[in-house]
Amino acid sequence: MILVTLIAILFVGGLVAWFSERISPTMPRLVALIAVTLDLLLMFSLLGAGDAGGWVATFEADWIPRFGISFYFAADGLSVLLLMLTAFLGIIAIGAAWGEITERSGFFYFNLLWTLAGVLGVFTALDLFLFFFFWEVMLIPMYLIIAIWGHENKHYAAMKFFIFTQVTGMLMLISILVLAYFHYVQKGSLSFNYHDLLNVSTAGSMGMWVMLGFFLSFATKLPSVPFHSWLPDAHSQAPTAGSVILAGILLKTGAYGLIRFTVPLFPEASMAFAPYAMALAAISILYCAKVAFAQTDIKRLIAYTSVSHMGFVTLGIYAWNEQALQGAIMTMLAHGLSAAALFMLAGGLQHRIHTRDMSEMGGFWPKVPRMTAVAIFFSVAALGMPGLGNFIGEFLALIGAFQANITMTVLAAFGLILASVYSLWVLQKVFQGEYRNADFDDSHLTDLSRREMIYFALMMVGLIWMGMYPQSFLNMSEPALTQLLTSTQGVAVAVLQGAL
Amino acid sequence: MLELIWLLPTFPLLGFLALVLTGGTLPKQIAGPIGAGSIGLSFAVAALIAMEFVGSGEDYFVYEAWTWMSVGNFSPGVTFYLDGLSTVMMLVITGVGFLIHLYATGYMADDPSFARFFSYMNLFVAAMLMLVLGDNLVLLYLGWEGVGLCSYLLIGFWYTNPANGYAARKAFVVTRVGDTSMAIGLFLLFAQLGTLNIQDLMHAAEGEWEIGSGYAVAAALLLLGGAVGKSAQLPLQTWLPDAMAGPTPISALIHAATMVTAGVYLIARTHILFELAPSVQLLVAWIGLATLLISGFTAMTQSDIKRVLAYSTVSQIGYMFLGLGVGAWSASVFHLMTHAFFKALLFLASGTVILSLHHEQNIFKMGALRKALPVSFASFLIGSLALTAFPFTSGYFSKDEILLGALAVEGVGTWLWLGGVIGAFFTGIYTFRLFFIVFFGESNVEHHVDREVGGWHMNGPLIILMILALVGGFIHVPVEAVFSHGEAHDEHHVSGLIHGIMIAVPLIGIGISYLFFMSKTFSVEKLMSSGLAQSLHKFWLGGWGFDTLYNALIVAPFLFLARINRKDLVDSFYALIVTLSQAANGMIVKTQTGSLRWYALTLVGGLVIIVTLGVLL
Amino acid sequence: METIPVEHGLILAGILFCLGLIGVLTRRNIVFVLMSLEVMLNASGLAFIVAATRWGHAEGQVMFLMILTLAAAEVAVGLGLIIQMFRRYQTVDISVLSEMKG
């Protein structure tokens, strides 16, 4: 019941925020903040050991029983971690929007909350039809956020985002239907229930095609090369809060989908596909790091680095062993914070000087020392400095992946070098060097306010916590991962024996 | 007392936090004592721990603070491991580190970013202590990257000059290349041996791998990659001379005494692995030899006082690598320690010179400074003597041991020894070239020297380091237990002739330097008149063209690729889809004429086609 | 009784249909277009009757009655539109009504 409550709070909160604009234009953000904070507080009740399967909370009710569709929500440690990340970054995003969104604020916070509600649904729905429903719910408000509150080229970016996600979403829908049909053929009834579908045999070439439908959808969301090109546009055009949600949370739904659905539902096909997926991951890491370095638009640059970092997640997932999976999850969490922070910094800069073009910036350090310190912290976190969360994630992912595929892991490890190249380049370009302000009005170039510092401090603490005592997070996802690994173990053994 | 080992990195870390959380706004009177004092406290604790540890006669001591992460069988802890080797390292880091911090409170006194400077310095010491105290390779890697970060921040400390930023980035990225190799090495070790705890790892490697086995060679090579990056050895040595862009105390602390010797520490720490891979171990020796010769030549041509010292650092670390490569483990660690003393002394003294001359670094704009700068003169004299291994200075004992170790190697040992001796000859030349040009001869000073910059917190450390550089050779390095089974040539008998050569060669170098730069018996100009000499000089001055090579091979292609693909090739595929559908739209839209008769005609035409097809098929 | 062969009737219907079609395609005056349409409708009606006579079925006659009603309704609506068009554009030239082009 708690899971439904969490989602309902956001749906209702969104409606209330919309209508509260009539009372006062600052009301919606307050309503939104209260709704998300309430959610975050409620989530603390989900901490704790679950049942034998690792599930800490479940909810089930009929929806369309004829077709085996039901309102089936369940959360295990993995879901709870991501739920908390969502609520946390939701608060951060509201903070980012606090002063930035002045037009139609009611509708903005409505969209924001509904996106978050969709994400919560995605992270908890275990009925595939319901999952698809929430997958769409999080898409459309996000489209509106970009299309209405975006920057100069917002319609193009929003449309691109929408088409990419929608087309691949349709592929996933087809895959879901075929999977349900598999169930009908094998068990005599339609079912969209995750646990039922786990028992469906999906070996064979048809299984591979259906798996690819899922993979394409999730790889586009993740995103992975070559399906990544919507991301730089969406990020550079979205308002800061939109970028925070996109980079921090929406990308993680793709990774979650891979972990929860693609691999467990199609173990044979995934095993066969793993080398290709890992190759795509390595290409993503290297290629996007290189492209990131070439960008002059600071938000595009960060967007490409996001693709690069998510490559480690893909790599970890398809290595499919405990270290690699934990690494993938830690990378998701840590990247959620660091990317969100970097986008907030970029957004803050854009808000102050009305440009994102790095070639017009330089030497901001003396003007904005606090912002510089924050930027150094998060850049360094992003390039994988040990002691911060990103390192734990990437190191675990690589050390696990090395046991599965040495070549791809070594290639991916070169991403560590490229990460330092582009991260330090940004610092140099924006904050170091001689101060220059020839091309813009710098009267608003002020240091971070106390309110902004609070958000950044929260994220810093989070990253240091993840980096120095990751055990609190690892312990939560461990039962869930054990469950997933044991469920596919038989297949792994069979595949290995077949290979022998 | 030993349990207090966790305090060692904690003090500098607290210092760092105190300086950073106040936003670098603390006044010098508070920031200085916090910055230097935290290291002083660490040193005090380190000294007490070392006394108790050496007195106890134990081989090692382990203290686990907490389990860092535990995933399956991978569970590195935040665990400190104390043995003879880490004792030496922690004493050098905190001891020399404290002296340099103290010196820096004077050196940096006029800098507006005083507190920021000390925050980085403290973070550096904390990271360096983690590096040497970590009991597993992951924690070592944490320190390893941490010192790299601090090095980056400190090289680029004066950030307004883009050249400093470039040097800082170069240092970080080049060492990161090595770091990545090392990280891959860690993956390999874990995948094969199932642990990253150093001691367990060494036992497992000994148990499971035969000498010369492929895994051992691969793992040792990958770790060596990390070591050459951090210690600025061939082929990753190019960053260190540029790193001199940072303030001089940084050059003393990070780029001479501590961080750049981390590679030596790493190899010494994992020496069992290198013994399992004799080919790689020999490679270490050859790398060391090649580096010490190349940078020795380069040092002779430099005109920047700090670059001369930088190349000499590279060269001296080359000696340490040579020692490691020939299995003279404790000699290398010994040289690491003495080098920390005399090179820190030289750098700090050069700092005093530079500051007294209003930030002049070109040695040809100095000269005849021995009267004006007596403390620097004395420091340079002692430091240079130790560097050239003048008998009974600290450098003499350690370099002697390394060269003897080289000689003891069967086969190529003589060549390695000979190379080392030639290197010592050139060390004599370039060291005293610097010394004579700066302190003797005619004065070419452009700005008037008012007085020698000093004060007790700058001169005190110099004096202590002078003493250490002189008598440091008599300090006993307690590392027997660490390298217990690796060294066979302790009682190796060598003839008096060999000893004579090793004493005489550096002296000859000094003598030649005297003839060229002091008495002017020989003229540099005459030597340089030939075309060959000039091109050779140019080649050496540029560091043997490594920078040019790497620029052409790696940097330029990368920049080229980045430039041509700024728009992201993949996106053009999707743009193509858009263009195609727009083109198709453009074509089809033309048929929408709005004319009724045209529609009717196409209707009929379509019907006719369908009917025809239906009839025909 | 001498019967007209069914082919003759069908050929006549085809010729009428083609004449009507050509009229629809070539005429610019919308009144003539409408008339040509009538011709085409009647041609198809004729084809129904011929076919119905040949097979002795009543459905063809019924279809023709339906076509008649349809044509009447069509003419009523069509003429109404033509009057509207003439009021708006002061012309009965169909080619001026090409505003809905892409």
Side-chain angles (χ1 to χ4, degrees), chain A residues 323-492:
Chain A
Q323 280 108 22
L325 279 174
Q326 287 284 25
I329 294 167
M330 283 307 290
T331 308
M332 282 157 73
L333 298 176
H335 176 262
L337 295 190
S338 68
L342 286 173
F343 275 116
M344 276 183 77
L345 275 173
L349 268 178
Q350 185 180 11
H351 194 62
R352 286 169 168 78
I353 60 177
H354 302 288
T355 178
R356 299 189 305 269
D357 191 349
M358 288 199 299
S359 54
E360 293 179 16
M361 305 180 194
F364 288 177
W365 197 327
K367 288 274 275 188
V368 287
R370 278 201 295 271
M371 189 189 252
T372 311
V374 171
I376 292 178
F377 180 91
F378 287 106
S379 304
V380 160
L383 65 79
M385 184 57 54
L388 302 175
N390 305 56
F391 166 76
I392 304 287
E394 289 172 11
F395 193 84
L396 283 174
L398 286 171
I399 209 167
F402 191 87
Q403 297 162 41
N405 190 330
I406 294 176
T407 321
M408 291 309 153
T409 311
V410 171
L411 279 179
F414 285 110
L416 297 175
I417 303 173
L418 294 180
S420 65
V421 174
Y422 63 68
S423 298
L424 300 183
W425 175 242
V426 178
L427 290 181
Q428 172 70 39
K429 229 20 230 167
V430 179
F431 296 106
Q432 298 173 338
E434 285 285 347
Y435 179 65
R436 46 178 300 181
N437 68 335
D439 304 323
F440 56 84
D441 170 24
D442 69 345
S443 54
H444 299 291
L445 184 56
T446 50
D447 209 349
L448 295 176
S449 68
R450 183 166 297 171
R451 189 171 51 79
E452 289 171 304
M453 275 311 279
I454 291 172
Y455 296 127
F456 285 119
L458 281 175
M459 290 190 271
M460 286 183 187
V461 170
L463 281 180
I464 295 173
W465 183 4
M466 286 179 201
M468 290 316 295
Y469 195 70
Q471 208 57 40
S472 16
F473 304 91
L474 299 174
N475 283 345
M476 278 181 74
S477 48
E478 196 193 343
L481 291 184
T482 317
Q483 195 67 25
L484 288 173
L485 284 169
T486 42
S487 76
T488 54
Q489 209 164 36
V491 177

Side-chain angles (χ1 to χ4, degrees), chain A residues 41-250:
Chain A
L41 293 177
L42 282 176
M43 281 173 197
F44 281 100
S45 70
L46 292 170
L47 298 175
D51 59 13
W55 305 103
V56 287
T58 50
F59 173 83
E60 192 160 14
D62 278 344
W63 186 4
I64 314 175
R66 256 186 86 177
F67 299 131
I69 298 171
S70 60
F71 289 107
Y72 178 33
F73 297 96
D76 57 5
L78 170 62
S79 312
V80 174
L81 276 180
L82 291 169
L83 291 181
M84 297 189 94
L85 177 76
T86 308
F88 180 74
L89 285 180
I91 294 174
I92 300 280
I94 292 169
W98 202 261
E100 193 180 305
I101 302 298
T102 46
E103 273 174 59
R104 302 176 67 183
S105 63
F107 192 48
F108 177 83
Y109 287 103
F110 165 78
N111 283 316
L112 191 72
L113 291 188
W114 276 51
T115 307
L116 292 177
V119 175
L120 291 193
V122 163
F123 285 147
T124 49
L126 277 195
D127 182 284
L128 264 73
F129 197 82
L130 188 65
F131 174 79
F132 183 77
F133 167 74
F134 280 111
W135 188 261
E136 295 292 310
V137 165
M138 74 183 179
L139 166 65
I140 291 158
M142 194 66 223
Y143 164 78
L144 290 174
I145 287 180
I146 301 174
I148 299 178
W149 291 274
H151 301 303
E152 65 279 355
N153 201 6
K154 56 193 179 188
H155 295 295
Y156 171 76
M159 195 46 86
K160 199 168 177 181
F161 164 71
F162 189 79
I163 291 177
F164 264 83
T165 329
Q166 198 67 351
V167 168
T168 53
M170 186 199 68
L171 291 176
M172 178 165 76
L173 180 63
I174 295 171
S175 286
I176 290 175
L177 295 178
V178 174
L179 195 60
Y181 178 71
F182 276 0
H183 189 268
Y184 178 76
V185 171
Q186 290 175 18
K187 314 276 172 179
S189 68
L190 279 172
S191 173
F192 289 86
N193 185 302
Y194 176 67
H195 298 298
D196 290 347
L197 294 176
L198 276 181
N199 296 326
V200 171
S201 159
T202 53
S205 66
M206 195 62 194
M208 179 59 106
W209 287 110
V210 180
M211 187 280 291
L212 279 178
F214 277 90
F215 177 80
L216 269 178
S217 182
F218 295 139
T220 306
K221 201 70 159 193
L222 197 61
S224 166
V225 169
F227 315 110
H228 65 282
S229 79
W230 61 272
L231 187 82
D233 287 309
H235 269 310
S236 53
Q237 299 306 325
T240 307
S243 294
V244 168
I245 302 270
L246 258 180
I249 312 167
L250 284 202

Side-chain angles (χ1 to χ4, degrees), chain B residues 433-455:
Chain B
R433 166 179 174 267
L434 175 69
F435 181 68
F436 291 136
I437 289 177
V438 172
F439 291 102
F440 293 91
E442 287 170 19
S443 174
N444 301 315
V445 178
E446 285 176 352
H447 304 286
H448 179 65
V449 184
D450 315 319
R451 58 179 181 84
E452 183 169 33
V453 179

Side-chain angles (χ1 to χ4, degrees), chain B residues 291-371:
Chain B
T291 312
L292 81 88
L293 287 175
I294 285 178
S295 48
F297 285 120
T298 314
M300 284 194 293
T301 57
Q302 300 298 315
S303 59
D304 182 320
I305 185 168
K306 286 178 73 181
R307 284 183 86 91
V308 176
L309 292 175
Y311 277 109
S312 108
T313 304
V314 177
S315 169
Q316 294 305 306
I317 298 170
Y319 275 106
M320 296 175 211
F321 268 62
L322 177 62
L324 296 170
V326 299
W329 311 110
S330 49
S332 282
V333 176
F334 189 27
H335 194 56
L336 187 161
M337 183 186 77
T338 59
H339 175 255
F341 297 151
F342 61 73
K343 194 50 70 62
L345 173 65
L346 283 169
F347 265 115
L348 293 187
S350 77
T352 305
V353 173
I354 291 167
L355 209 56
S356 301
L357 296 184
H358 309 283
H359 293 282
E360 179 56 67
Q361 300 198 6
N362 188 338
I363 54 174
F364 295 111
K365 293 184 178 168
M366 298 177 182
L369 290 173
R370 67 184 179 285
K371 294 266 168 53

